[in-house]
Amino acid sequence: MKKTSAKDTSARRVTWRMLLALGGMAALAVPGAGPATAAPRSAEDGGRTGRCVVVYFDLGETLVHTAEDKSVSYLPGAAAYLRALRARHIPVGLITNVPPSWGSTDAERAAELKKVIDKDWTGSTPFAWSDFGDRIFTPRTEAERKPAPALWKRAKKAAGPCRVVYEAETTDEVQMGRSLGYVSYQVARPGWPAYLPVRLITALSHLPYGNGSSPKGR
């Protein structure tokens, strides 16, 4: 039998500590929730596993703030947080409500959203639209508007075999994301980090994960 080295044991302990931290933070991010777990793997995904992660955000009052004068700017720490994720090559996306009438596709509605935000933007640094690419998910109908699960399901499917994270300011959205297999985190809570720490997201990206949908998420 192969002996376990002290180095291997130490590495294993670090991994378990990270897992416990991730589970604990995800649970405490939603009052009354238990530890977050990966969604069960389905037969449809062919047993795919990935060592990657995609971080999705709500937009308003999660990454940007709209003031009483209708001006729009980054929330404190948001720009730096996106830069930190970008530096680690972690893909980001948006799951956000906009009027379905803004276009017939996600791309068309995203283009209109950019116009609306940029028109009233007052921040010294432009919003980092290029970070989000085509990962901006918006409702095709009124029935798809959050907190309906449709947008989270589409975003998760687009992430393929990668683990998915969702960050938002409202408890109901965080709970919905978590129920669909996301590691969910409620931002801007007193006494908690403004956003899910990047080091924990980086740890998630190195863990194998099958991104099949659970029956609850269908």
Side-chain angles (χ1 to χ4, degrees):
M1 182 181 292
K2 184 179 178 181
K3 293 184 177 180
T4 302
S5 69
K7 183 177 180 182
D8 289 339
T9 300
S10 177
R12 193 172 299 153
R13 284 174 180 166
V14 170
T15 300
W16 276 109
R17 284 172 186 158
M18 284 189 169
L19 285 168
L20 288 170
L22 284 165
M25 292 190 78
L28 291 170
V30 182
T37 57
R41 288 166 57 184
S42 70
E44 292 179 358
D45 71 5
R48 294 179 302 167
T49 60
R51 294 178 182 270
C52 51
V53 63
V54 180
V55 182
Y56 290 104
F57 298 91
D58 180 37
L59 181 59
E61 306 312 318
T62 297
L63 291 176
V64 304
H65 171 65
T66 302
E68 290 183 4
D69 63 1
K70 306 300 182 183
S71 64
V72 184
S73 61
Y74 276 121
L75 280 165
Y81 187 66
L82 290 176
R83 284 197 303 271
L85 292 172
R86 186 188 316 138
R88 289 162 178 78
H89 307 288
I90 296 172
V92 296
L94 293 175
I95 298 176
T96 185
N97 282 339
V98 303
S101 60
W102 279 7
S104 59
T105 65
D106 277 321
E108 290 179 1
R109 292 185 294 272
E112 189 63 27
L113 174 63
K114 293 175 188 178
K115 292 178 184 177
V116 170
I117 296 295
D118 291 348
K119 177 175 65 71
D120 296 320
W121 189 261
T122 58
S124 58
T125 303
F127 189 76
W129 291 112
S130 60
D131 287 7
F132 298 89
D134 60 358
R135 295 178 297 275
I136 300 178
F137 294 88
T138 55
R140 296 173 292 196
T141 65
E142 288 296 323
E144 283 194 353
R145 291 178 66 87
K146 295 185 296 180
L151 299 186
W152 284 282
K153 290 182 178 181
R154 287 204 277 129
K156 187 177 180 185
K157 182 177 180 180
C162 297
R163 192 180 298 273
V164 283
V165 172
Y166 181 66
E167 303 192 40
E169 87 284 6
T170 59
T171 301
D172 59 342
E173 289 196 10
V174 169
Q175 289 176 331
M176 176 59 75
R178 183 175 177 274
S179 75
L180 296 172
Y182 287 72
V183 174
S184 287
Y185 187 77
Q186 189 169 342
V187 306
R189 292 182 66 206
W192 287 79
Y195 298 98
L196 186 65
V198 174
R199 69 183 183 279
L200 297 183
I201 294 174
T202 302
L204 276 174
S205 71
H206 293 294
L207 298 174
Y209 177 61
N211 194 18
S213 298
S214 67
K216 184 187 291 186
R218 292 184 186 279

